[in-house]
Amino acid sequence: MKRVPLFKHLPERQVTINATLDPQEEHELLEFLNKNKDNFVWSASELCGVNRDIVEHLLDIDPKAKPKRK
């Protein structure tokens, strides 16, 4: 895996992609992501108006279970 900036003018906004993509595949993937950039958010503050039921992930864990250390 490797991290690459999605926008040249915002280098801190990076995506993680497969490091084994050939240069053409990487270019096509980044082009696709850039064309669809309006579908991504970079912070929780950008989620205004989105129903919490859509974006919230819950783990179905038994509340009585004790944590284990490896």
Side-chain angles (χ1 to χ4, degrees):
M1 303 306 274
K2 73 176 187 177
R3 295 184 58 82
V4 294
L6 189 55
F7 312 106
K8 291 178 183 174
H9 64 285
L10 296 169
E12 70 279 1
R13 292 194 175 182
Q14 298 182 356
V15 293
T16 304
I17 63 171
N18 190 322
T20 63
L21 294 174
D22 67 50
Q24 180 63 30
E25 289 175 317
E26 182 175 321
H27 173 76
E28 289 175 7
L29 175 59
L30 293 174
E31 191 174 83
F32 171 81
L33 293 172
N34 198 357
K35 284 181 182 177
N36 292 283
K37 63 187 170 202
D38 293 342
N39 295 313
F40 301 99
V41 297
W42 299 96
S43 68
S45 64
E46 294 180 62
L47 286 172
C48 297
V50 177
N51 187 325
R52 188 175 181 159
D53 292 335
I54 294 172
V55 298
E56 187 174 55
H57 177 71
L58 300 174
L59 298 176
D60 188 20
I61 298 174
D62 183 352
K64 297 177 201 161
K66 294 186 179 186
K68 293 185 179 181
R69 180 182 287 177
K70 288 188 175 187

